[in-house]
Amino acid sequence: MKLLEERILKDGVVLGADVLKVDNFLNHQIDPVLMEAMGNEFAAYFADKGITKILTVETSGIAPAVFAGLALGVPVVFARKHKSLTLTDHLYSSTVHSYTKNTTNTISISKNYLDETDTVLLIDDFLANGQAAKGLIDICQQASATISGIGIVIEKSFQRGRQELEEQGFDIYSLARIRAFEDGIVKFVEEKGNN
Ligand code: 5GP
């Protein structure tokens, strides 16, 4: 998505070898105009998949997920991160190792908001090693919900997440795919028809 790539080049900051900081429009300050355009892009791609619900993880997945939900006309549920082991009542839970923070969180969704009648689109801000996506997949499997796709705002294609998820048969649509960071400059995967 050209608009997103341009914004990454303008405002993204490469930290260390493999982390991109996008606090200016996605992870801290949020640009609603860009979020709306991204939501529409996800909705167009997944329009004919019969999606009944969007699932994401707090916090940074929520903004793009809500705009995709608005465009598709379906509710958005975000998994909560919590540390308490006693809060397991009526919840689907999974553990997720955070790539950027080097911590492990339990993520949970109330059983009230996901069941076997749901066809789910998973959305997240980044795809790196696929840990967050795998946690959400685990939760959907516990609920016997169908997963019809994964929508990612920024994919770091040099990490292993896409490959592992594709091997499991998932359809992944990323709005921006980063091939590499070269001397602190973001290089995108060249794709035909990338608009
Ligand atoms: P994964 O679970 O695929 O290994 O990593 C994705 C999760 O880690 C995302 O939910 C995101 O919050 C965080 N993450 C991974 N890489 C980056 C990055 O380069 N920048 C930022 N801001 N977050 C990242």
Side-chain angles (χ1 to χ4, degrees):
M1 186 185 177
K2 255 288 142 306
L3 197 62
L4 175 61
E5 289 188 355
E6 285 167 5
R7 190 62 180 269
I8 290 169
L9 292 176
K10 179 168 167 277
D11 289 322
V13 178
V14 177
L15 296 178
D18 56 11
V19 172
L20 180 67
K21 189 173 175 190
V22 284
D23 278 19
N24 172 285
F25 61 92
L26 180 60
N27 291 142
H28 193 18
Q29 174 171 263
I30 292 172
D31 179 342
V33 175
L34 179 61
M35 292 301 132
E36 184 181 34
M38 298 194 314
N40 291 342
E41 187 81 15
F42 283 131
Y45 184 85
F46 292 107
D48 59 357
K49 304 281 187 191
I51 287 153
T52 63
K53 200 157 278 185
I54 293 176
L55 239 61
T56 187
V57 188
E58 66 177 356
T59 308
S60 299
I62 296 176
V66 165
F67 280 98
L70 182 66
L72 285 167
V74 300
V76 177
V77 181
F78 62 91
R80 292 176 180 270
K81 295 173 184 164
H82 66 82
K83 293 188 179 74
S84 170
L85 293 174
T86 57
L87 278 176
T88 52
D89 246 21
H90 207 58
L91 296 172
Y92 299 115
S93 296
S94 192
T95 52
V96 172
H97 183 74
S98 163
Y99 180 76
T100 44
K101 300 194 184 85
N102 198 21
T103 55
T104 300
N105 285 304
T106 300
I107 61 165
S108 301
I109 285 179
S110 165
K111 290 184 178 175
N112 292 339
Y113 301 122
L114 190 66
D115 64 31
E116 69 281 358
T117 64
D118 282 312
T119 300
V120 175
L121 170 61
L122 307 181
I123 286 194
D124 204 6
D125 59 340
F126 274 88
L127 176 61
N129 293 316
Q131 295 302 308
K134 283 181 196 163
L136 289 174
I137 290 165
D138 180 22
I139 282 177
C140 287
Q141 287 170 343
Q142 291 173 43
S144 300
T146 303
I147 299 168
S148 72
I150 301 174
I152 298 292
V153 177
I154 302 173
E155 171 188 320
K156 293 185 292 181
S157 305
F158 54 87
Q159 292 179 288
R160 62 175 194 271
R162 171 181 281 269
Q163 192 190 332
E164 288 190 9
L165 294 169
E166 278 184 342
E167 281 168 7
Q168 293 175 42
F170 294 108
D171 179 14
I172 305 164
Y173 182 53
S174 302
L175 302 184
R177 299 185 67 199
I178 296 175
R179 173 172 58 78
F181 298 137
E182 287 175 6
D183 300 324
I185 310 285
V186 177
K187 301 290 178 185
F188 294 102
V189 175
E190 300 287 339
E191 284 180 285
K192 271 194 195 147
N194 183 3
N195 56 1

